[in-house]
Amino acid sequence: MQISVSYLTSFYSKEKTIKLIEETKADYLHVDLMDGLFVPNKNFDLKEITPLLINHKLPLDIHLMVLDPLLYINDLKKLNPEYITFHLEATKDVIKTIQVLKENHIKVGLSIKPQTNILELMPYLSFVDLVLVMSVEPGAGGQSFLKETSNRLKTLINYRTENNLSFKIEVDGGINNNTILLVKDVDIAVIGSYICKSNNYNNQIMKIQSILND
Ligand code: DX5
Ligand code: ZN
């Protein structure tokens, strides 16, 4: 399993947190962007985050919690992201958004909130590179993992196998040393506060990996 570290909830400034994450063996830097419309909080301004992220070393896994993902793609592509993930619930233009990301050679992620029926993803699964299953309500770090997520992941994994599809599955929210085993079959786990509210980021990553390898 790969680990994508979210800098959203941390003891330190964004700048220092990003620097500390980049010194670890994480696989991705998870960038949570919230517009204050799709979720209550707004947490970014492109002018502020661009200089913080432009020289990133880890591949960027951008998670857009915004109402209109098409507004941001042109600016975000300057950061050379590996994935841009947007929410199924955010836009009526799911296919158009997928197309625009593909035209820009950015891998496409589609995310789903905990209350949305997983079957609503099905029409899009042959066109996306990644599905991000939220295991908390999007909008804040440090929430508790919603246990129903395990069954939703199973449904998605079975569908992928039965239909011979190849999208990656990522889970986001409330992942720590206790909940990691509930999501052990996903490709990528997003982890925020368990890592960034600790004194040693790499130790926390190694703890997760050793639990998975046991
Ligand atoms: C929640 C964000 C998550 C969050 C994860 O809306 O999308 O990426 O930062 O943080 P933890 O691991 O603390 O739940
Ligand atoms: Zn996220």
Side-chain angles (χ1 to χ4, degrees):
M1 187 194 294
Q2 293 186 304
I3 308 284
S4 186
V5 182
S6 161
Y7 63 81
L8 187 64
T9 310
S10 162
F11 289 143
Y12 310 114
S13 66
K14 281 181 191 163
E15 192 174 14
K16 181 162 180 197
T17 307
I18 292 167
K19 187 173 172 287
L20 288 173
I21 295 169
E22 293 229 284
E23 287 167 1
T24 69
K25 295 197 160 64
D27 297 286
Y28 298 95
L29 178 63
H30 185 82
V31 179
D32 285 305
L33 301 181
M34 316 199 268
D35 66 352
L37 298 167
F38 182 68
V39 291
N41 294 328
K42 178 168 170 38
N43 78 330
F44 75 102
D45 171 339
L46 287 169
K47 285 204 189 73
E48 177 217 354
I49 59 155
T50 303
L52 298 181
L53 294 169
I54 193 82
N55 293 319
H56 63 92
K57 297 197 237 22
L58 290 173
L60 298 186
D61 163 34
I62 299 183
H63 177 193
L64 291 180
M65 287 167 272
V66 303
L67 213 46
D68 188 352
L70 290 171
L71 287 180
Y72 302 95
I73 294 171
N74 256 341
D75 284 311
L76 292 175
K77 88 175 183 210
K78 295 177 195 142
L79 299 174
N80 190 26
E82 177 106 3
Y83 290 100
I84 291 186
T85 295
F86 64 99
H87 271 265
L88 176 66
E89 303 86 356
T91 173
K92 295 220 167 11
D93 286 333
V94 174
I95 289 290
K96 180 153 184 232
T97 309
I98 292 173
Q99 276 166 354
V100 172
L101 287 170
K102 287 195 184 225
E103 280 160 19
N104 284 290
H105 309 287
I106 300 166
K107 288 185 189 159
V108 180
L110 189 58
S111 184
I112 182 164
K113 298 207 284 186
Q115 301 298 329
T116 306
N117 193 325
I118 206 96
L119 298 176
E120 290 186 31
L121 287 169
M122 303 314 175
Y124 310 109
L125 292 178
S126 38
F127 308 117
V128 302
D129 300 291
L130 174 92
V131 173
L132 171 53
V133 177
M134 291 304 300
S135 40
V136 298
E137 278 303 322
Q143 303 179 71
S144 299
F145 179 85
L146 295 166
K147 295 249 160 43
E148 311 82 76
T149 311
S150 303
N151 280 333
R152 290 160 67 74
L153 291 170
K154 264 188 212 132
T155 305
L156 197 58
I157 292 170
N158 289 341
Y159 185 91
R160 179 173 68 177
T161 312
E162 281 158 15
N163 292 278
N164 215 5
L165 293 169
S166 58
F167 59 88
K168 297 251 191 301
I169 300 177
E170 181 176 43
V171 65
D172 184 2
I175 306 294
N176 56 36
N177 55 329
N178 295 315
T179 53
I180 191 69
L181 287 175
L182 302 173
V183 301
K184 63 179 175 21
D185 297 323
V186 305
D187 303 293
I188 308 172
V190 177
I191 310 183
S193 48
Y194 178 72
I195 293 173
C196 298
K197 286 197 142 186
S198 82
N199 297 322
N200 188 323
Y201 289 14
N202 217 34
N203 265 359
Q204 299 296 88
I205 294 177
M206 286 184 336
K207 272 193 223 163
I208 293 284
Q209 280 163 346
S210 81
I211 292 167
L212 288 168
N213 291 333
D214 255 1

